[in-house]
PDB file of all heavy atoms in Angstrom:
ATOM      1  N   ALA A  84      -3.416 -10.252  -2.066  1.00  0.00           N
ATOM      2  CA  ALA A  84      -2.622  -9.140  -1.458  1.00  0.00           C
ATOM      3  C   ALA A  84      -2.885  -9.224   0.099  1.00  0.00           C
ATOM      4  O   ALA A  84      -4.084  -9.403   0.468  1.00  0.00           O
ATOM      5  CB  ALA A  84      -3.071  -7.783  -1.969  1.00  0.00           C
ATOM      6  N   TYR A  85      -1.860  -9.251   0.829  1.00  0.00           N
ATOM      7  CA  TYR A  85      -1.999  -9.315   2.255  1.00  0.00           C
ATOM      8  C   TYR A  85      -1.906  -7.935   2.878  1.00  0.00           C
ATOM      9  O   TYR A  85      -1.095  -7.119   2.408  1.00  0.00           O
ATOM     10  CB  TYR A  85      -0.902 -10.249   2.822  1.00  0.00           C
ATOM     11  CG  TYR A  85      -1.116 -11.709   2.362  1.00  0.00           C
ATOM     12  CD1 TYR A  85      -0.512 -12.126   1.191  1.00  0.00           C
ATOM     13  CD2 TYR A  85      -1.959 -12.511   3.070  1.00  0.00           C
ATOM     14  CE1 TYR A  85      -0.747 -13.439   0.800  1.00  0.00           C
ATOM     15  CE2 TYR A  85      -2.167 -13.789   2.607  1.00  0.00           C
ATOM     16  CZ  TYR A  85      -1.566 -14.243   1.470  1.00  0.00           C
ATOM     17  OH  TYR A  85      -1.794 -15.539   1.023  1.00  0.00           O
ATOM     18  N   LEU A  86      -2.689  -7.716   3.933  1.00  0.00           N
ATOM     19  CA  LEU A  86      -2.756  -6.394   4.550  1.00  0.00           C
ATOM     20  C   LEU A  86      -1.887  -6.351   5.811  1.00  0.00           C
ATOM     21  O   LEU A  86      -1.866  -7.322   6.571  1.00  0.00           O
ATOM     22  CB  LEU A  86      -4.195  -6.088   4.988  1.00  0.00           C
ATOM     23  CG  LEU A  86      -5.240  -5.968   3.799  1.00  0.00           C
ATOM     24  CD1 LEU A  86      -6.640  -5.999   4.359  1.00  0.00           C
ATOM     25  CD2 LEU A  86      -4.922  -4.716   3.016  1.00  0.00           C
ATOM     26  N   ALA A  87      -1.230  -5.219   6.008  1.00  0.00           N
ATOM     27  CA  ALA A  87      -0.521  -4.960   7.272  1.00  0.00           C
ATOM     28  C   ALA A  87      -1.566  -4.864   8.361  1.00  0.00           C
ATOM     29  O   ALA A  87      -2.718  -4.600   8.132  1.00  0.00           O
ATOM     30  CB  ALA A  87       0.277  -3.688   7.105  1.00  0.00           C
ATOM     31  N   SER A  88      -1.121  -5.140   9.599  1.00  0.00           N
ATOM     32  CA  SER A  88      -2.087  -5.237  10.709  1.00  0.00           C
ATOM     33  C   SER A  88      -2.922  -3.978  10.862  1.00  0.00           C
ATOM     34  O   SER A  88      -4.154  -4.056  11.076  1.00  0.00           O
ATOM     35  CB  SER A  88      -1.376  -5.513  12.011  1.00  0.00           C
ATOM     36  OG  SER A  88      -0.470  -4.511  12.357  1.00  0.00           O
ATOM     37  N   GLY A  89      -2.405  -2.774  10.801  1.00  0.00           N
ATOM     38  CA  GLY A  89      -3.184  -1.546  10.952  1.00  0.00           C
ATOM     39  C   GLY A  89      -4.236  -1.456   9.839  1.00  0.00           C
ATOM     40  O   GLY A  89      -5.290  -0.914  10.086  1.00  0.00           O
ATOM     41  N   ALA A  90      -3.914  -1.964   8.676  1.00  0.00           N
ATOM     42  CA  ALA A  90      -4.871  -1.899   7.602  1.00  0.00           C
ATOM     43  C   ALA A  90      -6.038  -2.843   7.870  1.00  0.00           C
ATOM     44  O   ALA A  90      -7.205  -2.498   7.502  1.00  0.00           O
ATOM     45  CB  ALA A  90      -4.187  -2.286   6.261  1.00  0.00           C
ATOM     46  N   VAL A  91      -5.794  -3.977   8.473  1.00  0.00           N
ATOM     47  CA  VAL A  91      -6.860  -4.879   8.829  1.00  0.00           C
ATOM     48  C   VAL A  91      -7.881  -4.177   9.764  1.00  0.00           C
ATOM     49  O   VAL A  91      -9.072  -4.249   9.581  1.00  0.00           O
ATOM     50  CB  VAL A  91      -6.299  -6.192   9.439  1.00  0.00           C
ATOM     51  CG1 VAL A  91      -7.438  -7.045  10.049  1.00  0.00           C
ATOM     52  CG2 VAL A  91      -5.580  -6.982   8.444  1.00  0.00           C
ATOM     53  N   GLU A  92      -7.342  -3.499  10.793  1.00  0.00           N
ATOM     54  CA  GLU A  92      -8.220  -2.814  11.705  1.00  0.00           C
ATOM     55  C   GLU A  92      -9.007  -1.670  11.033  1.00  0.00           C
ATOM     56  O   GLU A  92     -10.204  -1.547  11.325  1.00  0.00           O
ATOM     57  CB  GLU A  92      -7.406  -2.279  12.893  1.00  0.00           C
ATOM     58  CG  GLU A  92      -7.012  -3.314  13.910  1.00  0.00           C
ATOM     59  CD  GLU A  92      -5.545  -3.767  13.769  1.00  0.00           C
ATOM     60  OE1 GLU A  92      -4.786  -3.101  13.153  1.00  0.00           O
ATOM     61  OE2 GLU A  92      -5.273  -4.881  14.258  1.00  0.00           O
ATOM     62  N   ALA A  93      -8.355  -0.914  10.241  1.00  0.00           N
ATOM     63  CA  ALA A  93      -9.079   0.185   9.527  1.00  0.00           C
ATOM     64  C   ALA A  93     -10.164  -0.405   8.584  1.00  0.00           C
ATOM     65  O   ALA A  93     -11.276   0.179   8.580  1.00  0.00           O
ATOM     66  CB  ALA A  93      -8.053   0.984   8.750  1.00  0.00           C
ATOM     67  N   LEU A  94      -9.867  -1.451   7.925  1.00  0.00           N
ATOM     68  CA  LEU A  94     -10.880  -2.081   7.042  1.00  0.00           C
ATOM     69  C   LEU A  94     -12.016  -2.682   7.859  1.00  0.00           C
ATOM     70  O   LEU A  94     -13.169  -2.566   7.491  1.00  0.00           O
ATOM     71  CB  LEU A  94     -10.176  -3.146   6.124  1.00  0.00           C
ATOM     72  CG  LEU A  94     -11.035  -3.638   4.982  1.00  0.00           C
ATOM     73  CD1 LEU A  94     -11.584  -2.507   4.113  1.00  0.00           C
ATOM     74  CD2 LEU A  94     -10.174  -4.577   4.109  1.00  0.00           C
ATOM     75  N   THR A  95     -11.704  -3.302   9.014  1.00  0.00           N
ATOM     76  CA  THR A  95     -12.737  -3.844   9.853  1.00  0.00           C
ATOM     77  C   THR A  95     -13.722  -2.736  10.342  1.00  0.00           C
ATOM     78  O   THR A  95     -14.910  -2.928  10.349  1.00  0.00           O
ATOM     79  CB  THR A  95     -12.110  -4.560  11.068  1.00  0.00           C
ATOM     80  OG1 THR A  95     -11.273  -5.622  10.525  1.00  0.00           O
ATOM     81  CG2 THR A  95     -13.188  -5.128  12.001  1.00  0.00           C
TER      82      THR A  95
END
Side-chain angles (χ1 to χ4, degrees):
Y85 294 92
L86 296 167
S88 62
V91 169
E92 282 100 19
L94 192 51
T95 299

